[in-house]
Each structure stands twice: as C-alpha cells, then as structure tokens.
Amino acid sequence: MRRKLAAGNWKMNGTSENLKELKALRDAHPDPKVEMLICPPATLITSAVVTAADHPLQIGGQDNHRAEAGAHTGDIAATMLKDAGASYVLSGHSERRTDHAEVDEQIRRKTKTAHAAGLKVIVCIGETLEEREAANTLDIIAGQLAGSLPDVLTAENTVIAYEPVWAIGTGKVPTTDQIGEVHDFIRSKLVKRYGDGVGKSMRILYGGSVKASNADEIFAVSNVDGALVGGASLKASDFSPIITALENA
Ligand code: PEP
C-alpha cells in the first residue's frame, strides 16, 4: 500500500504572516489519513516546523545545492534544511529548470546530496507544451527519469512528481487519460529500473493546477498517489478540500 501524499509548494510566496495558514491547516486536519507536507520559502522553514509541532504535518525545502557545503553564496545545503527541521525537499521543479537552467545531471546530484542528508526528495519531471504537441511526452519523461534519479534510492526516500510544465499555474489540466498514461508509464519505468519492490512502492504525485474542483477526478486515476500543489496550497481554505479529496480517494 502506498501512503498518499498531499504536498504544497509555496514557491517564492509567504512571510511570517502566512504561518496562520499552516495553523489553520493543522487545525482542519487533526488526524489526517494521508501524509501532509508544505514546502514554504526557506526563510519560513524553522518557524513552520514550530507551527507544525505535535502534528503529522511535515515541512520541506524547495531546493538544495548539489554540494554538501562550501563557497556557494545564496544557496542552501541539504544538511541545513535537515537541521532546520525539514524532512523533504523538492528537486528539479520546472521553475528551477527554467529560472536556473538546471539539467537532469544536476538534479540527480542534488537528489543524492539530499538523500545523504537524510531528506526525502520529490523529484519533479514533466514535458513542455511543445514537447507534448510534438508527441514526445513519453520520451521526455523517460529521459528525465533516467537522468534525474540516482541509481541507489528507496521508495521511502524518493517520490516522483509528474508536472506537465504547461499545466503549472495556468489552470490547464491534462485529461485523466493523459495523466493515467504518463503515471502508468512512470510506474513501468520505475519497476524496470529498480525492481518490483521499490518500483511498485514508490509514490507518484500529479502536479499542475490541482484544485478542489478537479481533485476527485485526478485522484481516481491509476498510479496517482497524491498531488504536488502550488497556488492552491497557499491558503488552508483551498488546500484543505484537496487533502480531504485525497483522504476519500
Ligand atoms: C507546482 O508549483 O508544483 C504546481 C503544481 O503549481 P500549481 O498547482 O499552481 O499549478
């Protein structure tokens, strides 16, 4: 049984004022039946961990440097995230791939460094609209999986997030058939590379304009084990019904 995961990515949004949303979220789900995670900006991790104390709500980072430490001004080491109380980190989000020209090789190294620090990593992959229209989606997904994932991992320390770039923050969502096709394909690739034990146990999240109104149908798709949610995770009133939909899926 794969434990479902509702993960929120606040991106570059939020100051201490927004911690009230975390408080509201934990109050709304005193005994969640799914794993809950929020990845706030790095400046809020420590206070978010305090806000989430004594509740299963977990806090994650949005990125870590591929090096363990050193002369990398402005960057954050995986050990620092762990020390601040984070249990997860995102790797290879499409906004990092675009804004910081991150490529699969760097994402694989970041992922390995995060694993070594004891963090669970959500590795993000997904095609652009041009790639989908050129019928290259599955090739792109296969390439990103092959390049971004380390050879050594576990189903506990790694989660995949399939996030079509064209669906992120746009309100456009793939059809459930399109989501199912990619998630089934990812599952087959994971089983082929890591074997049944790891490949069948690793969670695969969908991300891209998930909201309360579409969550039920997305969570009913095979091999969708939860969601990575951007915009709709900023307010407890938007994220809470998504968590409830996942609990009921
Ligand atoms: C994301 O940032 O990972 C994301 C899926 O964003 P949104 O839900 O806003 O599309």
Side-chain angles (χ1 to χ4, degrees):
M1 243 337 238
R2 297 185 294 267
R3 183 158 163 76
K4 298 199 165 109
L5 171 60
N9 170 18
W10 281 10
K11 314 190 187 200
M12 199 174 71
N13 297 296
T15 59
S16 46
E17 166 76 15
N18 299 75
L19 293 169
K20 65 177 189 298
E21 298 297 335
L22 282 188
K23 170 132 188 14
L25 202 57
R26 57 168 290 172
D27 291 351
H29 300 272
D31 186 17
K33 293 189 202 61
V34 299
E35 205 175 336
M36 289 167 57
L37 166 69
I38 291 287
C39 300
T43 49
L44 288 181
I45 288 176
T46 306
S47 42
V49 167
V50 172
T51 305
D54 303 321
H55 186 277
L57 171 62
Q58 301 191 68
I59 303 302
Q62 297 176 11
D63 178 58
N64 64 274
H65 197 276
R66 60 189 180 279
E68 282 171 25
H72 301 288
T73 302
D75 281 312
I76 300 178
T79 48
M80 295 171 185
L81 295 174
K82 181 77 179 165
D83 180 58
S87 48
Y88 275 86
V89 66
L90 307 180
S91 193
H93 191 282
S94 67
E95 287 152 15
R96 300 282 319 169
R97 292 180 188 257
T98 304
D99 291 356
H100 300 274
E102 285 186 10
V103 294
D104 291 337
E105 158 70 8
Q106 286 163 293
I107 294 157
R108 188 170 55 78
R109 289 173 63 190
K110 282 168 184 251
T111 301
K112 285 172 81 168
T113 306
H115 283 161
L119 293 169
K120 298 177 185 179
V121 184
I122 301 179
V123 178
C124 305
I125 56 174
E127 82 286 359
T128 63
L129 189 57
E130 295 68 37
E131 289 162 345
R132 177 162 282 277
E133 287 176 347
N136 285 336
T137 298
L138 297 185
D139 285 346
I140 295 296
I141 295 299
Q144 290 179 339
L145 278 176
S148 304
L149 292 180
D151 286 333
V152 179
L153 48 65
T154 69
E156 287 71 42
N157 72 10
T158 308
V159 177
I160 308 296
Y162 167 55
E163 300 204 299
V165 179
W166 51 276
I168 295 179
T170 59
K172 293 183 193 149
V173 183
T175 65
T176 49
D177 282 352
Q178 288 172 324
I179 295 173
E181 179 191 31
V182 177
H183 278 241
D184 290 351
F185 179 76
I186 293 171
R187 177 71 61 213
S188 70
K189 286 285 172 190
L190 293 175
V191 167
K192 194 164 179 204
R193 181 165 171 190
Y194 299 104
D196 271 1
V198 171
K200 288 190 176 167
S201 310
M202 194 179 295
R203 292 168 297 176
I204 307 173
L205 310 183
Y206 168 77
S209 296
V210 176
K211 27 188 199 296
S213 57
N214 59 24
D216 283 333
E217 60 173 351
I218 291 171
F219 295 150
V221 176
S222 79
N223 282 310
V224 172
D225 303 310
L228 178 56
V229 182
S233 71
L234 291 170
K235 289 205 170 309
S237 56
D238 292 330
F239 197 38
S240 180
I242 295 172
I243 294 167
T244 304
L246 190 58
E247 289 179 323
N248 294 332

